[in-house]
Amino acid sequence: MIKFRIRPEPIVPMPRFKSLEISNPSFESNNLRFITVKTPNLKGRGDICVYAPPGAVCTDSLPVVILLHGVYGSAWSWPYSSGVHLKVHELIEKGELPPMVIAMPSDGMWGDGSAFLPIDNYNFEKWIAEDVPDALAECIKGVNKQSPLFISGMSMGGFGALRIGAKYGHKFRAISGHSSITSLPQIKFFAEESLKHYAQDNIIDEDVFETFLHYRKQLPPIRFDCGTSDLLINYNRSLHKKMDKEGIPHLFEENPGGHEWTYWAKHIVQSLKFFATYL
């Protein structure tokens, strides 16, 4: 009797998301792509705007920077308020940055801003820390489970980046914040929603310094900056002093400027170059 050995089919990972759509390359411009993905963490769909460097090879493990917006904003805020994708492309072309993917997700679109926290049975934190990297790995060439991850943001996005980056320190190579809210009560400078809606069970999830203290054994490299005319400058100075006192390594810079896109458009480059040193 002749015996035949059946070669097993290669194992293909099952897509994590039931529905995920990505823009048609025929209609994209300036290397920007748009992803919409449904996730239980949002109880619906979320958007991610992505700068993907041209010529990315599928076998590469391209670094990914998750870039968080502030209150009132969404997935379009960073590219269309600062032109960050154009700056990144130029710096890559000049050899001043390595090829990297910039992922700019919405915050979940709750109220004036979700603060990237778990609120009202939505988990805007896990949307950023878990869903966004997984969605990129499913549909952006060059992004996979081995891709180095970084996270940054401005204002409310700085709060989210520093807090999530510390809490999920095992996932991120380095983190940064620009003009960051450093403690949850400061969101009242911007959002009309009552502070009680943002309240967490533990101060560790409401205050960046307390987050750093709690997760100090897994903290990735940290940098943050703030404009000297920014309404949040004293809060950022206070965070810097507390971290110095506790011996938590970090870089802090003050620069001329206020709480404005001209400031963030300029200084995001410092964060990207900071991240590049950890590749």
Side-chain angles (χ1 to χ4, degrees):
M1 179 182 294
I2 299 176
K3 294 184 179 180
F4 295 93
R5 177 176 293 176
I6 299 174
R7 178 184 294 177
E9 291 293 325
I11 297 174
V12 178
M14 289 292 292
R16 192 188 142 205
F17 303 102
K18 185 175 181 181
S19 66
L20 185 153
E21 285 205 347
I22 187 165
S23 52
N24 186 328
S26 300
F27 306 111
E28 295 166 355
S29 62
N30 295 316
N31 304 297
L32 281 184
R33 315 202 70 187
F34 284 86
I35 300 169
T36 297
V37 57
K38 184 180 180 183
T39 165
N41 287 316
L42 298 182
K43 299 181 181 179
R45 291 162 293 152
D47 289 328
I48 312 168
C49 180
V50 184
Y51 165 81
V57 180
C58 195
T59 55
D60 290 342
S61 292
L62 287 172
V64 173
V65 176
I66 298 175
L67 197 50
L68 305 183
H69 63 79
V71 292
Y72 323 131
S74 188
W76 59 266
S77 297
W78 271 103
Y80 294 118
S81 294
S82 76
V84 64
H85 58 303
L86 302 177
K87 292 181 175 66
V88 171
H89 187 73
E90 180 183 356
L91 291 170
I92 292 173
E93 291 287 297
K94 290 179 177 179
E96 295 181 29
L97 279 178
M100 56 175 58
V101 171
I102 311 294
M104 297 160 280
S106 72
D107 71 326
M109 307 298 283
W110 183 92
D112 279 331
S114 69
F116 303 97
L117 289 165
I119 299 174
D120 292 345
N121 296 316
Y122 298 89
N123 201 317
F124 303 114
E125 175 187 294
K126 286 188 175 181
W127 154 242
I128 298 299
E130 299 177 3
D131 296 333
V132 170
D134 287 352
L136 295 172
E138 281 196 22
C139 59
I140 300 295
K141 286 185 178 181
V143 178
N144 52 48
K145 296 294 185 180
Q146 287 72 48
S147 290
L149 287 177
F150 303 90
I151 190 167
S152 184
M154 40 69 68
S155 192
M156 180 188 78
F159 174 76
L162 294 175
R163 197 187 63 78
I164 293 172
K167 188 170 182 178
Y168 294 81
H170 59 286
K171 296 187 70 166
F172 293 100
R173 290 265 186 108
I175 64 180
S176 80
H178 302 275
S179 311
S180 304
I181 290 174
T182 62
S183 193
L184 189 55
Q186 296 158 32
I187 202 166
K188 288 306 298 174
F189 292 132
F190 310 101
E192 71 171 1
E193 281 74 28
S194 170
L195 196 59
K196 68 181 181 180
H197 289 301
Y198 293 95
Q200 302 295 298
D201 293 334
N202 196 314
I203 193 173
I204 293 167
D205 292 318
E206 294 186 348
D207 185 271
V208 171
F209 178 66
E210 294 296 333
T211 307
F212 287 167
L213 278 181
H214 186 78
Y215 294 101
R216 68 182 304 163
K217 291 184 179 180
Q218 65 175 36
L219 290 178
I222 302 165
R223 82 166 298 277
F224 59 103
D225 61 62
C226 195
T228 53
S229 301
D230 196 304
L231 77 166
L232 298 178
I233 183 62
N234 287 330
Y235 299 106
N236 279 258
R237 287 170 176 164
S238 177
L239 175 60
H240 164 58
K241 289 176 182 176
K242 289 177 181 178
M243 292 174 73
D244 266 352
K245 186 176 180 180
E246 282 293 327
I248 299 175
H250 66 286
L251 296 175
F252 172 64
E253 296 178 1
E254 296 184 16
N255 306 291
H259 206 79
E260 56 200 357
W261 274 110
T262 51
Y263 180 91
W264 304 318
K266 179 178 181 180
H267 294 288
I268 183 58
V269 174
Q270 292 169 267
S271 284
L272 298 176
K273 290 185 175 181
F274 172 72
F275 293 158
T277 65
Y278 291 97
L279 290 173

